[in-house]
Amino acid sequence: MHIALTHEQADFDALASLLGTWLLDETILPVLPARMNRNCLAFIAFYGSDLPFIKARELPPEEVETITLVDTQTSITVKRSSERTRVRVIDHHPQRADLPTHWDILNLEPLGACTTIFVERLHELKKPLSSLQASLLLLGIYEDTGSLTYASTTARDMRAAAYLLEEGASLQLTMDYLNPPLTNGQRQVYERLLSQMENYKINGQKIIIVRGDAQDLQEEISSIAHKLRDLFDPDALFVLVTTKEGIRLVARATTNHVDVSAIAAYFGGGGHARAAAALVRQEGNLTPLVALDKTYHDLLTILPDFIRPPVSVGQIMSRHPLMIPPEMPAREAAHLMQRYGYEGYPVIKEGQVIGLLTRRAVDRALAHKLNLPAGSLMEANEIKVFPGDSLDHLQQIMIQSGWGQIPVVSPEDGEVIGIVTRTDVLKIQAGNNTLVSGRENLTKQLEAALPPARLALLKAISEYAYTRRAAAYIVGGFVRDLLLERPGIDFDVVVEGDAIALARALASKFGGRVVTHKRFGTAKWKIEPEQTAFIQKLTGQEAAISPGELPESLDLISARTEFYDYPTALPTVEHGSIKLDLHRRDFTINTLALRLDGRHFGELYDYYGGLHDLKQKFVRVLHSLSFVDDPTRMLRAVRFEQRFHFKIEQRTLQLVSEARELLRQLSGHRLRHEFDLILAEEKPARMFSRLKELGLLTAIHPALDWKEEQAAQLQRALNAPVDTAWQLPPTFGRIPVRRALAYLVWLIPLVEKKGETIAQKLHLPVVIQSALNTGRQIRGELESLVSTPASQVVERLESTPRPALYALYCLGNSPAADALIEKYIANWQHIHIVTDGNMLRKMGVPAGPIYSHILNTLRSARLDGEINTDEEEQALLSQMIRTITKSA
């Protein structure tokens, strides 16, 4: 016998999941729990006869072979089950740490409702549903997602609900049972709890705790909790009541800053981030009231650890904003707006905000040919916020003022220290921001990824940056790869402030020397010459390190912003904040930053939704002109997509198609740099295939192509072991020989002389361009060479650059042609004659072109098998000299 079970005090998600189990397999018996919420009891009382549920006492007298647990990971004891009974789990809660290892986990997906798992499968199988069945399934989804409003709701929950409505689910029936009125007994407990209500402000969140006696209550507590939550609208509500079983905790949250499921788990319960419960068993001989007080005090003690502070203005603002004086003319302001791209700028007079100048006001003035000063065009007001203000307050200011950019001022002196925009707020609301302090800290991942010496290096930077009041960050690829669990050990440090001064301070303390580039505010701290002494100073003790534990140098870079004077131009750089620095990067997944200084060590900063896109496996640009600013980003988008098995996000894909013609304007050096990076990847063939699919290869040059059969050829050129007989040089044209081979294998097959044309476009070294030409010619002659004497083959191949010949071999030819190349490499190239010019001179042969004729004739005879020994060579030589002498 196979039965389906769920948790006690069942809600509609539990009942709907039981129904879903039966709908997918009607041989499974869905067993009703002993205790259910009142609205569920009422539903079963009215509609139960039309549903397949049975009670435990109605089970047939058979052995229970399999139990499927739904919406729970805790099994209850059932008659005729045993240790042999197989247990399967289908749930949407996080996996329990103590889940028995012999249980089968069929599905544990982080969905808003467990019911969604079953609805998706029913939809896939096109199972017909009655209106009642669809309505109960919809009740399951609606109850656990707060009618699709909880933050834990997913797009899959919404699609499942929409499908059920299409199948005839009744919204009226759903609403009738989701919010039933309180019974008389519940009303009495409700009044008791109101008299014991206490308000707290914990980490900026409004928390309500109510407690009281409910031992005489027969109905569920959850309806009372819903009523209290709706009446007082706290950030979180905790109901503690005494019951016959123990102290029952029911928790509700209305904000993402309080995860009540984690709090319930502390007391042995569970649930969702917005709705959870626990039953606290009474210890020893404690009376119910004493146990209630103890649980209440325990709850108060732990709440600060589980409640995250709300996001403040200071956490999302951009520091060091651009400001303009009231005297600035409209044309100059327009140039500023065009260069930096912002829609509004604070107008400052004597350090105080006096208004906001918007792009719209400037555009209108210039349209009327009025070059008025900012003070005349600005929206005059002293609107401002402070770093500690909440987002709610900020939104109210934006609504009241109509400003989309609000200056942030220091509470001490009123100086402008930042600016916050409507876009910043929208990103927080969309859940694409992880800036809340403590939201995510990657210190443990850093410590696991880095060798001790490099970790000590980071800690030193952390300490020195903190003492100099400079925020320091690791940014970009290192952080991305750390989160993808494929960490590297190389990193650069971006400093909000003077990176050169920080580098010099570090070198002064620990040794090494600093090379600076003042225009860009960058410093290279060279470490290698004093590695041992360095590590001893760094750790304060003798430490054995292996070469490579420390980098040879470390780049420290002042945070900066960039702007482009025209498409494909190299950027002009100016100093800026970390937020502006990250905004100049190519893709959101490369905008993540780890802060290093002081107590912030390991904090993850995500201004542009990079973490969200990492989880969704998207490659997404930051703005619509990203590829116009730098077309090489299109090639990088493909590289990252294929490396990480991601997808280029749809809007980004559209921008690629619109901007690809700009690739033709790029310099050869920039294009080749990107191709070099692709050839260094693990799967370059997949990247070339995707570049072709997106039309990027022909955008670079109409003849640039890629064929799928070249994948194996490219792999052979880059990675296959090479017999030493080939005598390949380590480099060819001053680039690694493997990379040169890859270019040859890619470009030789192109029609006519297009390969050489593209090689010129890419600024490949002249020797590679020449090898391309030779390789293309030899490829056309190989089949005809098969039938020629060995001497003619050697004469033709000996003048071919060895990498070009190996590239031809990688490309693959007819078996006979490949055998010809193999014979040349293995044998023919090693066949030489003993005769040389000195010997001819001693024999009295006059110097001149005759020497080459004699030597070539002798070697050809050796290669073609006409002579095989030194004696035969000497005889042929004597014969040739006699002939020459006679003719003379």
Side-chain angles (χ1 to χ4, degrees):
M1 181 169 57
H2 185 168
I3 64 174
L5 301 174
T6 189
H7 56 84
E8 291 299 311
Q9 210 61 51
D11 56 10
F12 276 115
D13 192 25
L15 287 184
S17 297
L18 285 176
L19 174 63
T21 308
W22 178 82
L23 288 168
L24 290 173
D25 185 349
E26 294 184 10
T27 65
I28 299 175
L29 301 177
V31 181
L32 289 171
R35 294 188 300 279
M36 293 183 282
N37 287 347
R38 180 170 51 93
N39 51 355
C40 294
L41 284 169
F43 186 90
I44 293 298
F46 201 83
Y47 296 105
S49 60
D50 297 319
L51 295 166
F53 303 124
I54 65 171
K55 296 179 181 178
R57 64 174 180 270
E58 298 171 347
L59 286 170
E62 301 174 15
E63 181 181 354
V64 178
E65 296 178 348
T66 306
I67 295 173
T68 295
L69 295 176
V70 295
D71 198 34
T72 185
Q73 296 171 43
T74 303
S75 183
I76 60 173
T77 304
V78 180
K79 286 184 180 180
R80 298 183 181 85
S81 64
S82 66
E83 292 182 355
R84 297 189 303 275
T85 300
R86 180 187 176 197
V87 180
R88 312 186 311 167
V89 178
I90 301 174
D91 194 12
H92 66 132
H93 300 101
Q95 183 174 336
R96 277 175 41 199
D98 59 346
L99 197 71
T101 56
H102 63 280
W103 285 12
D104 297 328
I105 299 174
L106 298 188
N107 204 317
L108 279 183
E109 297 198 61
L111 297 167
C114 187
T115 305
T116 298
I117 298 170
F118 298 97
V119 173
E120 288 180 332
R121 184 61 177 150
L122 290 167
H123 189 186
E124 183 182 330
L125 296 174
K126 296 184 171 60
K127 276 269 193 177
L129 299 174
S130 69
S131 177
L132 178 60
Q133 291 167 345
S135 297
L136 177 52
L137 293 168
L138 187 64
L139 272 166
I141 294 174
Y142 268 34
E143 180 157 75
D144 258 30
T145 63
S147 298
L148 305 177
T149 64
Y150 290 166
S152 57
T153 305
T154 69
R156 290 168 61 184
D157 297 304
M158 291 188 170
R159 285 194 290 268
Y163 168 70
L164 293 171
L165 289 171
E166 291 172 351
E167 290 296 300
S170 168
L171 279 174
Q172 184 59 55
L173 183 67
T174 303
M175 292 303 103
D176 288 345
Y177 282 93
L178 274 183
N179 300 300
L182 299 181
T183 65
N184 288 335
Q186 287 175 319
R187 174 66 62 182
Q188 291 174 12
V189 173
Y190 175 76
E191 298 294 342
R192 270 183 236 148
L193 294 175
L194 280 178
S195 64
Q196 294 289 320
M197 185 175 73
E198 296 179 70
N199 287 278
Y200 296 93
K201 197 79 170 179
I202 301 176
N203 287 341
Q205 302 295 305
K206 178 184 176 184
I207 308 298
I208 290 180
I209 302 177
V210 295
R211 50 183 167 148
D213 179 37
Q215 294 185 74
D216 55 346
L217 183 66
Q218 301 299 315
E219 296 85 12
E220 75 283 350
I221 303 294
S222 58
S223 295
I224 302 173
H226 280 293
K227 192 80 173 175
L228 290 166
R229 182 199 63 190
D230 293 344
L231 180 62
F232 296 104
D233 192 29
D235 293 313
L237 166 74
F238 297 92
V239 179
L240 290 169
V241 294
T242 58
T243 68
K244 293 175 182 177
E245 295 87 6
I247 307 302
R248 187 165 293 281
L249 164 69
V250 178
R252 297 291 183 265
T254 60
T255 172
N256 294 335
H257 302 296
V258 185
D259 182 353
V260 293
S261 66
I263 296 167
Y266 179 87
F267 290 99
H272 311 289
R274 296 290 183 99
L279 179 63
V280 184
R281 303 288 182 182
Q282 295 178 18
E283 300 177 3
N285 298 320
L286 295 180
T287 65
L289 287 179
V290 172
L292 180 65
D293 282 343
K294 180 180 184 303
T295 306
Y296 163 74
H297 288 295
D298 289 346
L299 177 64
L300 267 183
T301 301
I302 67 161
L303 279 179
D305 296 330
F306 287 90
I307 296 175
R308 297 189 297 269
V311 180
S312 68
V313 167
Q315 290 172 287
I316 66 170
M317 72 179 184
S318 297
R319 296 183 179 275
H320 315 301
L322 292 166
M323 298 175 286
I324 61 177
E327 301 82 20
M328 179 178 285
R331 287 198 185 93
E332 189 176 339
H335 179 69
L336 205 65
M337 290 174 174
Q338 183 180 20
R339 171 173 285 189
Y340 295 103
Y342 303 121
E343 295 299 316
Y345 291 81
V347 181
I348 306 299
K349 184 177 183 180
E350 297 177 358
Q352 303 299 308
V353 178
I354 62 170
L356 183 79
L357 182 66
T358 66
R359 183 188 291 268
R360 183 183 178 192
V362 171
D363 288 346
R364 291 179 67 183
L366 295 179
H368 291 289
K369 298 183 171 30
L370 298 174
N371 192 23
L372 296 172
S376 300
L377 296 172
M378 71 182 184
E379 296 178 22
N381 213 322
E382 296 181 6
I383 303 294
K384 56 185 178 291
V385 291
F386 298 103
D389 286 343
S390 68
L391 289 196
D392 288 340
H393 175 70
L394 172 63
Q395 286 179 273
Q396 288 302 314
I397 293 291
M398 286 181 168
I399 292 168
Q400 291 166 10
S401 67
W403 289 15
Q405 301 83 25
I406 308 293
V408 185
V409 302
S410 166
E412 286 80 22
D413 55 20
E415 291 282 334
V416 177
I417 59 173
I419 194 164
V420 62
T421 70
R422 191 178 286 116
T423 302
D424 296 327
V425 176
L426 290 173
K427 284 179 179 175
I428 291 288
Q429 291 175 337
N432 291 345
N433 199 298
T434 57
L435 293 180
V436 181
S437 180
R439 175 77 62 87
E440 187 151 6
N441 189 292
L442 302 186
T443 299
K444 288 184 179 177
Q445 291 93 319
L446 267 178
E447 291 173 345
L450 291 177
R454 295 195 183 214
L455 187 62
L457 178 63
L458 277 189
K459 293 290 180 69
I461 294 169
S462 168
E463 179 183 340
Y464 268 72
Y466 179 71
T467 59
R468 302 182 71 85
R469 297 184 178 275
Y473 304 83
I474 301 176
V475 301
F478 177 89
V479 185
R480 176 199 67 216
D481 292 346
L482 190 67
L483 287 163
L484 289 174
E485 297 182 352
R486 45 191 297 168
I489 60 171
D490 295 319
F491 50 83
D492 298 331
V493 174
V494 173
V495 181
E496 268 190 321
D498 191 340
I500 293 175
L502 178 60
R504 285 172 173 161
L506 289 164
S508 175
K509 170 68 176 177
F510 299 108
R513 62 188 181 88
V514 175
V515 178
T516 65
H517 196 309
K518 291 184 179 179
R519 180 189 167 197
F520 292 104
T522 62
K524 184 178 289 291
W525 180 21
K526 295 197 175 274
I527 296 170
E528 187 203 19
E530 305 169 57
Q531 234 181 28
T532 304
F534 179 93
I535 197 69
Q536 291 172 359
K537 288 182 182 179
L538 202 60
T539 60
Q541 58 187 6
E542 294 286 336
I545 61 167
S546 58
E549 254 196 67
L550 278 172
E552 293 182 6
S553 62
L554 178 69
D555 289 332
L556 290 93
I557 305 154
S558 296
R560 60 188 193 257
T561 186
E562 296 176 346
F563 56 89
Y564 295 78
D565 291 325
Y566 56 88
T568 76
L570 292 173
T572 301
V573 176
E574 291 185 2
H575 291 311
S577 64
I578 185 63
K579 187 174 180 182
L580 290 174
D581 187 276
L582 295 172
H583 189 266
R584 69 186 177 84
R585 295 174 188 273
D586 47 13
F587 307 109
T588 57
I589 58 174
N590 293 331
T591 63
L592 297 162
L594 277 186
R595 193 164 172 180
L596 301 176
D597 50 298
R599 62 184 176 83
H600 299 291
F601 189 85
E603 285 181 4
L604 177 65
Y605 280 65
D606 178 15
Y607 291 98
Y608 303 107
L611 188 60
H612 172 268
D613 284 344
L614 270 186
K615 291 175 180 176
Q616 297 298 317
K617 298 187 175 182
F618 281 149
V619 177
R620 186 196 308 267
V621 290
L622 275 75
H623 56 86
S624 59
L625 294 179
S626 182
F627 296 135
V628 175
D629 287 344
D630 184 358
T632 63
R633 289 173 177 168
M634 290 182 269
L635 306 181
R636 265 176 273 159
V638 168
R639 181 156 55 88
F640 290 134
E641 178 193 52
Q642 297 302 310
R643 180 200 295 176
F644 299 126
H645 302 282
F646 281 16
K647 282 289 181 187
I648 298 176
E649 176 264 340
Q650 196 61 38
R651 170 64 173 156
T652 303
L653 210 54
Q654 177 190 344
L655 296 172
V656 167
S657 68
E658 293 170 356
R660 60 189 172 206
E661 294 306 316
L662 292 172
L663 287 169
R664 204 162 295 176
Q665 301 177 25
L666 286 171
S667 71
H669 289 296
R670 294 181 69 191
L671 284 169
R672 195 179 108 206
H673 176 69
E674 295 299 327
F675 285 135
D676 285 349
L677 293 174
I678 287 174
L679 291 171
E681 293 280 345
E682 186 178 346
K683 303 279 184 168
R686 285 200 331 217
M687 298 174 187
F688 283 123
S689 180
R690 181 67 161 150
L691 289 172
K692 178 180 179 178
E693 179 187 344
L694 296 178
L696 298 181
L697 293 180
T698 51
I700 292 170
H701 191 285
L704 190 56
D705 195 12
W706 174 260
K707 293 183 172 59
E708 290 305 315
E709 58 265 27
Q710 288 181 277
Q713 299 164 355
L714 184 67
Q715 180 70 11
R716 191 174 184 183
L718 286 169
N719 300 308
V722 181
D723 192 301
T724 54
W726 280 94
Q727 299 175 351
L728 289 178
T731 61
F732 187 58
R734 291 180 296 181
I735 66 174
V737 71
R738 289 285 193 174
R739 192 190 306 160
L741 290 171
Y743 279 114
L744 292 169
V745 164
W746 181 21
L747 299 178
I748 282 175
L750 297 183
V751 295
E752 298 177 355
K753 294 189 177 183
K754 299 299 183 183
E756 294 96 296
T757 303
I758 292 168
Q760 292 171 7
K761 164 85 174 166
L762 298 180
H763 286 275
L764 286 170
V766 173
V767 291
I768 293 182
Q769 295 182 35
S770 174
L772 274 170
N773 182 46
T774 304
R776 184 177 55 79
Q777 292 174 6
I778 294 293
R779 196 177 191 217
E781 300 171 14
L782 271 177
E783 294 304 323
S784 61
L785 285 173
V786 169
S787 58
T788 60
S791 58
Q792 292 184 30
V793 174
V794 171
E795 182 182 1
R796 190 68 184 94
L797 297 188
E798 211 160 36
S799 61
T800 303
R802 192 55 53 89
L805 189 58
Y806 186 73
L808 290 175
Y809 187 63
C810 290
L811 284 169
N813 310 278
S814 70
D818 282 343
L820 189 76
I821 296 174
E822 290 169 359
K823 284 180 183 176
Y824 169 72
I825 292 298
N827 299 311
W828 295 343
Q829 70 165 334
H830 302 296
I831 293 176
H832 298 287
I833 55 177
V834 295
T835 306
D836 58 17
N838 289 329
M839 188 180 296
L840 295 177
R841 191 176 303 109
K842 290 177 181 178
M843 295 177 69
V845 179
I850 193 65
Y851 276 38
S852 295
H853 171 71
I854 293 173
L855 297 176
N856 288 337
T857 301
L858 290 173
R859 191 175 183 218
S860 294
R862 278 267 194 176
L863 287 166
D864 296 336
E866 296 171 3
I867 57 174
N868 296 296
T869 66
D870 293 347
E871 290 76 14
E872 291 176 346
E873 177 185 326
Q874 185 61 43
L876 178 58
L877 173 61
S878 299
Q879 180 183 339
M880 291 176 66
I881 291 174
R882 286 195 298 272
T883 302
I884 292 168
T885 304
K886 286 179 182 178
S887 63

